[in-house]
Amino acid sequence: MAIVQVEGARIAYDTYGSSKPAVVFLHGFPLNRLMWAPQVEALRGVGRLVVPDMRGMGSSELSNGTTSMERMADDVHGLVESLDLAPVVLVGLSMGGYVALSYYRKYREEVRALVLVDTRAEADDEKARENRTKMIEEVQAKGPSAVATAMIPKLLSEEAQKDAEVVAEVRRMIETTSPAGIIGALRGMAERPDSTDLLGEIAVPTLVVVGSEDTVTPPEGAEAFAAAIPDAQFEVIDGAGHLSTFEKPDEFNDLVREFLEELPNGESDS
Ligand code: MLT
């Protein structure tokens, strides 16, 4: 694990390989960079893989009470600058997708391509914000294990929930997240702006992926999301829930490998 200092916080990351393009993996909530372990194993040859922990999660520090999606995007940009990685391919799952859209809004000229997984462009509605507030109260009262109990049925398909090892790994990631980090991200997600207007402006190759069993960002919504992005490729991973990259890594990794190989100008070559 390496560390980069970005505006008041130490941001942790791993990096593998040195070929082009740089592919930056942005994890979901309330997880950390270890959720990308199956991609790190399988995709080493496709580019330089860069896998950060978002501020307040994993081994990255928290510097204030709310971690906005823009703050996380700025942290990723600080990392990209410090390693001189631009232009980058951003792969973001769920909250990581919110961060990728925020990054695109601000730094689009430094983005080579997007892979948006089990995510959405809309801001939270009133009900979603209320649920965030309830979860904040829950973490304050009972700690991260209560969040793990609430989140696991949302993150994993019914089938994956029968796999004790997968459940244990996801639980471990959530339980090692600090309460303050969880609360900061919940506040940041509740406050995030709507990005629907941005979708039509996306002018880089984009792959949208969703699990067929995703109940958090269901396939119908993901299809509409993909349709709003010019020339986006839309793929459904059969049988996978919200954490599709973790549940069905082979299917996801094949999609990413092919997508990168087909990027114009042979940018996936070393
Ligand atoms: C995630 O997987 O990152 C979360 O489900 C996102 C969210 O709560 O909106």
Side-chain angles (χ1 to χ4, degrees):
M1 184 185 81
I3 296 285
V4 61
Q5 180 79 27
V6 187
E7 291 182 42
R10 285 156 56 86
I11 302 298
Y13 66 96
D14 290 319
T15 173
Y16 307 88
S18 57
S19 58
K20 283 188 174 176
V23 186
V24 185
F25 290 85
L26 310 173
H27 64 77
F29 168 86
L31 304 168
N32 60 51
R33 70 189 194 287
L34 301 179
M35 68 155 269
W36 298 112
Q39 283 64 53
V40 164
E41 278 300 310
L43 295 174
R44 282 190 193 210
V46 305
R48 179 169 187 187
L49 310 186
V50 182
V51 195
D53 282 331
M54 298 297 114
R55 187 175 288 234
M57 317 196 88
S59 300
S60 288
E61 279 178 348
L62 185 69
S63 63
N64 68 35
T66 299
T67 321
S68 68
M69 300 302 102
E70 185 178 2
R71 175 68 266 158
M72 294 187 196
D74 285 342
D75 289 340
V76 175
H77 187 250
L79 171 61
V80 166
E81 278 198 320
S82 85
L83 298 179
D84 194 18
L85 299 173
V88 291
V89 178
L90 297 176
V91 182
L93 183 136
S94 200
M95 182 186 78
Y98 310 156
V99 176
L101 290 175
S102 185
Y103 194 103
Y104 192 81
R105 190 182 284 284
K106 207 159 170 183
Y107 306 112
R108 66 188 68 188
E109 64 291 345
E110 298 175 29
V111 177
R112 177 73 190 84
L114 292 168
V115 181
L116 301 169
V117 194
D118 299 286
T119 193
R120 60 161 73 82
E122 298 86 14
D124 277 7
D125 58 17
E126 212 41 58
K127 179 95 190 91
R129 287 202 190 101
E130 276 170 25
N131 289 339
R132 305 269 190 218
T133 304
K134 278 192 204 138
M135 195 176 277
I136 288 172
E137 289 163 2
E138 188 87 348
V139 192
Q140 285 166 335
K142 301 184 191 152
S145 72
V147 176
T149 303
M151 287 297 294
I152 285 170
K154 295 182 183 159
L155 292 172
L156 298 175
S157 66
E158 284 182 18
E159 200 51 38
Q161 286 176 57
K162 294 180 193 155
D163 185 330
E165 207 174 308
V166 168
V167 172
E169 279 182 58
V170 173
R171 180 169 277 282
R172 199 174 313 122
M173 280 191 264
I174 299 175
E175 289 185 347
T176 53
T177 309
S178 71
I182 291 175
I183 293 167
L186 283 166
R187 290 194 177 127
M189 287 192 287
E191 288 177 9
R192 75 186 190 281
D194 195 284
S195 292
T196 311
D197 62 330
L198 182 71
L199 301 184
E201 297 173 23
I202 294 179
V204 294
T206 300
L207 168 64
V208 174
V209 182
V210 69
S212 66
E213 309 306 309
D214 184 348
T215 55
V216 180
T217 51
E220 311 79 62
E223 189 168 14
F225 170 74
I229 301 172
D231 301 320
Q233 179 185 342
F234 175 61
E235 301 288 347
V236 179
I237 299 184
D238 211 30
H242 187 56
L243 208 48
S244 59
T245 57
F246 202 73
E247 280 188 33
K248 302 271 181 191
D250 293 345
E251 290 83 341
F252 178 74
N253 295 341
D254 284 350
L255 288 171
V256 171
R257 194 178 294 106
E258 271 171 40
F259 174 71
L260 294 178
E261 277 167 8
E262 284 168 17
L263 284 182
N265 307 325
E267 294 234 4
S268 69
D269 297 336
S270 39

